Amino acid sequence: MGKGISSITQSKKSSVNKQNLVVLDGLPDLDEFMFAPSRNQLRQVADFLIDLQQCQCFYCGKSLKSSKYAVDHFIPWSLYPADTGHNFVMADENCNSQKSNYLASQQFLHQWQERNHLHDQSIIREISQLGFLTDLQRSHRVADWAYKQAIENEYLVWLGGKEKKILSHPISAIF
Ligand SMILES: [Zn+2]
C-alpha cells in the first residue's frame, strides 16, 4: 500500500471515478465494499439516521415527515464510490436532488465532522452491523482529500438551496 491519501489507485477497472480513489493504509481493499447495497440495507440505514437526526433533513433542517427523503452520500458517490458508514446522511428530496453530485459547503463539512465525532460510537454500532465499513478516520481522510481536490480544481460546492460557489483559495485552515 502507498502512503496514505497521497496514493491514488490506478485501477484496472474501467470506471473513470475509480482512478481517483484514495488508498488508505491498513484498511480493507475498497473493492470489498463496492457492492450495491440492497434496498433493505438502505432502509435500515435510513431508519437509524432518521432517529439520529431527529427526523430532520441534515442540510436544511426541515422535517422529514412531510417530504420524501433519501440517504445521501455526504462525499458524493461520483467522487468516492464506496459506502462508508459515516458518509451517510439523511436529506429531504429537495436537498438531495439539489446537492446532486456536488460537494457541500465547508459549513456543512464542519457540521458533518461534528456529527461524526459526536455519534461515532452509535454510527459504528448500528451501521457496521448492516455490512458497511464504518471508520471515522478513513471517512474524514477521504473528505480531506475530496475538499483538497475541490480547492485545487476550483469545483463548485453546494451551499444549500439553489446556491453554489467555487471553492478556491484562500480558504480557512480546516485541514
Ligand atoms: Zn433539506
Side-chain angles (χ1 to χ4, degrees):
M1 292 298 254
K3 294 177 183 135
I5 58 172
S6 62
S7 302
I8 307 286
T9 60
Q10 292 299 321
S11 174
K12 293 183 192 89
K13 295 187 181 173
S14 58
S15 161
V16 171
N17 292 326
K18 284 193 71 180
Q19 291 175 9
N20 293 325
L21 287 182
V22 186
V23 174
L24 299 167
D25 290 334
L27 289 161
D29 189 328
L30 202 53
D31 282 349
E32 271 183 59
F33 295 94
M34 284 185 158
F35 61 93
S38 70
R39 278 180 172 281
N40 189 44
Q41 273 176 307
L42 276 183
R43 208 196 59 236
Q44 291 180 76
V45 170
D47 287 347
F48 165 67
L49 288 177
I50 286 170
D51 209 33
L52 190 73
Q53 294 176 203
Q54 300 176 316
C55 204
Q56 292 173 324
C57 172
F58 179 80
Y59 299 105
C60 71
K62 286 186 189 149
S63 171
L64 295 172
K65 279 180 191 147
S66 52
S67 76
K68 290 185 181 171
Y69 49 76
V71 176
D72 178 63
H73 293 92
F74 184 77
I75 301 300
W77 181 263
S78 57
L79 279 178
Y80 193 74
D83 279 319
T84 56
H86 294 82
N87 198 35
F88 292 130
V89 300
M90 277 322 274
D92 62 11
E93 199 178 26
N94 279 343
C95 289
N96 186 247
S97 68
Q98 284 165 337
K99 178 170 175 280
S100 184
N101 287 331
Y102 295 97
L103 283 170
S105 69
Q106 282 173 277
Q107 192 189 326
F108 286 132
L109 173 63
H110 294 157
Q111 185 182 319
W112 173 75
Q113 289 168 330
E114 217 169 281
R115 193 267 329 235
N116 287 342
H117 281 298
L118 203 58
H119 299 289
D120 185 33
Q121 290 309 312
S122 57
I123 290 169
I124 290 172
R125 189 175 60 242
E126 300 295 329
I127 299 186
S128 66
Q129 72 177 8
L130 299 174
F132 296 100
L133 174 68
T134 51
D135 181 306
L136 181 145
Q137 279 204 326
R138 181 191 177 109
S139 290
H140 286 193
R141 282 157 74 186
V142 168
D144 287 351
W145 167 82
Y147 279 83
K148 276 178 188 159
Q149 297 292 308
I151 293 163
E152 277 167 26
N153 299 300
E154 304 196 330
Y155 290 169
L156 282 172
V157 296
W158 179 70
L159 306 176
K162 295 191 167 91
E163 304 293 316
K164 296 184 190 82
K165 70 164 186 184
I166 290 174
L167 192 61
S168 59
H169 297 287
I171 189 166
S172 60
I174 55 171
F175 303 121

